[in-house]
Amino acid sequence: MLAPAPTIHLQSVEKVFPNGVRGLAPLDLAVGQGELVSLIGPSGCGKSTLLKLIANLHQPSGGAVRWWGEDFSAIGREGRRLSFVFQDPTLMPWSNVATNVRLPLDLDGVPRAQAEARIMPALRQVGLEHAAKRYPAQLSGGMRMRVSIARALVTRPDLLLMDEPFGALDEFTRNRLDEDMARLCARDGLTTIFVTHSLYEAAFLSSRVIVMAADPGRIHAEYVIDPGMPRDEAFRMSDAFARICRDLTALLSEVSPRRAGEEGL
Amino acid sequence: MTVSPRAIAVAAPIAVGVLVLLAWQAACRLWHIPPYLMPAPTDIGASLAANGPALLHALRSTLAVTMAALAISVAGGVLSAFLLVQSRLIETSLMPYVIIMQVTPIVAIAPLIIILVKATMPALVVCATLIAIFPIISNTLQGLRSVDPGLESFFRMHKASRLQMLLRLRIPSALPMFMAGLRISSGLALVGAVVAEFVAGTGGSSAGLAYEILQSGFQMDIPRMFAALALITVAGLVLYGATAALQRLVLRRWQAQG
């Protein structure tokens, strides 16, 4: 069987910031259709930088990023869409939930009637159909993040980029949102790249985990997880999940060695 | 029984005001302080009633200058901020002059303005505007620059046009800061109007409250001076309250509670 054509292909991509700091050493990465790839690693290893290069929010200092084998102009053509979920919900506080969710469609020039028709299904996907008229200040942190996800899903993206979206949430809300994400990505065959600090989150969601190292940012290891495993509460309690977490912990400890003489708590 | 914080916020300052007035009244009566040194609140009230028409006419003149200056400050301040935000080079080139305008005491340049601008009313408005415009410029500018970086990236990622960025992102983002600037400017416009009237010494039909204060001083009619002062204070409070209410109305979505 032929391997699926990569949705994202980074070829010797590196990033040097204007202040001379080398954010990423040249690296290669290919992400195939329908994969859910997590990027984990210590602070400063370039996870978010890598994601922003894929989102075209940063330009590489060297190498090339290819989207469906083409340059960034491929986005928007043939219905190919990219959505980005930020670390913060980044909602417009002056607009209600429905208008926030409709924003990317407005910016993309989708006619108002069509855009309106897509709001409720997107909100239903994240369980917020009852909150369409509320304002961000009236929502909890978890609900705001759900609105942010609905805003990303409303464009019916082929590629979803998420930059530590649940980092600021409590464990209970985070687990629930992780389960929702796993279900949505599996159902729609979404290609997703997910940056997280939590190896448990990476273990739960991913079909592949990229472990990154710092100084300079680079790929240290890749860890493949059987995508066929159902990502539900039972999986979280299983021996297989515990084994994956152990393996990822070992890989992470390789990239965050305790410095000589550094005391523990 | 629990008292709501809102009721306390209204009742507490009123109670303090009433207590101060009572103490003031008692002190004047107990120590027989003559009205030309310190009039009792009842003397001021009597003067206000006796000179009502003249004082209200003066109040109207002062408020006309204030409102004209505030309107020009809003229009000019917002336009200036939009101009300054267009590029760092424009801001770097022009901002020092905006600051010079702000730090030059209006009392020092008011005589010059009154000489240059022949008609009295426009001269007063120019003086008041020079005082009131700065918070509008600086706050609007800061507001236009204080866009959520994530939201800005989101707009850029969706290839938003300059107009979309302005109308759907920059202007709404700047509103809270602009409203705060407006609240400060409303008070400054009144201060500017009164200061300009003092310097111009405007009399006749366009005499404002500052002229009333000056005249009362010359005539040793101290209760009338206090009455004019009280009207300025009330006008300032009403302006502040009105802009605060407008701020709450405009920004109600920002602070909407569940």
Side-chain angles (χ1 to χ4, degrees), chain A residues 55 57 72 75 82 84 86 90-94 99 102-104 106-108 135 137-138 151 155, chain B residues 148-151 153-161 164 168-169 172-173 253-258:
Chain A
L57 288 171
F72 192 66
I75 305 291
L82 174 158
F84 197 105
F86 293 86
T90 60
L91 302 178
M92 300 179 292
W94 54 86
T99 311
R102 206 186 61 218
L103 176 67
D106 290 348
L107 296 178
D108 292 347
Y135 285 89
Q138 297 172 306
R151 185 181 62 182
T155 58
Chain B
D148 179 335
L151 208 46
S153 296
F154 189 87
F155 272 71
R156 276 198 287 126
M157 218 159 41
H158 284 273
K159 299 168 184 167
S161 66
Q164 282 176 320
R168 298 207 56 175
L169 182 64
S173 297
R253 292 168 171 179
W254 274 254
Q255 289 116 20
Q257 294 301 311

Side-chain angles (χ1 to χ4, degrees), chain A residues 166-243:
Chain A
F166 310 140
L169 304 177
D170 63 85
E171 200 68 13
F172 176 74
T173 311
R174 176 194 278 236
N175 285 352
R176 252 185 29 204
L177 287 175
D178 282 345
E179 285 163 27
D180 291 348
M181 277 315 303
R183 183 174 43 76
L184 285 172
C185 292
R187 192 193 67 190
D188 298 343
L190 255 174
T191 308
T192 307
I193 304 176
F194 194 97
V195 168
T196 178
H197 268 302
S198 163
L199 69 91
Y200 304 104
E201 191 166 47
F204 182 79
L205 282 172
S206 319
S207 53
R208 184 154 53 117
V209 180
I210 309 286
V211 180
M212 295 184 70
D215 297 322
R218 61 194 186 279
I219 293 176
H220 172 72
E222 293 194 17
Y223 187 91
V224 177
I225 301 170
D226 177 7
M229 290 180 181
R231 307 305 165 97
D232 51 19
E233 196 56 37
F235 174 59
R236 210 188 287 283
M237 306 297 284
S238 68
D239 290 342
F241 183 73
R243 179 178 48 76

Side-chain angles (χ1 to χ4, degrees), chain B residues 56-77:
Chain B
L56 285 178
H57 184 266
L59 175 66
R60 266 200 297 279
S61 291
T62 301
L63 281 181
V65 174
T66 304
M67 296 316 289
L70 190 58
I72 294 169
S73 295
V74 168

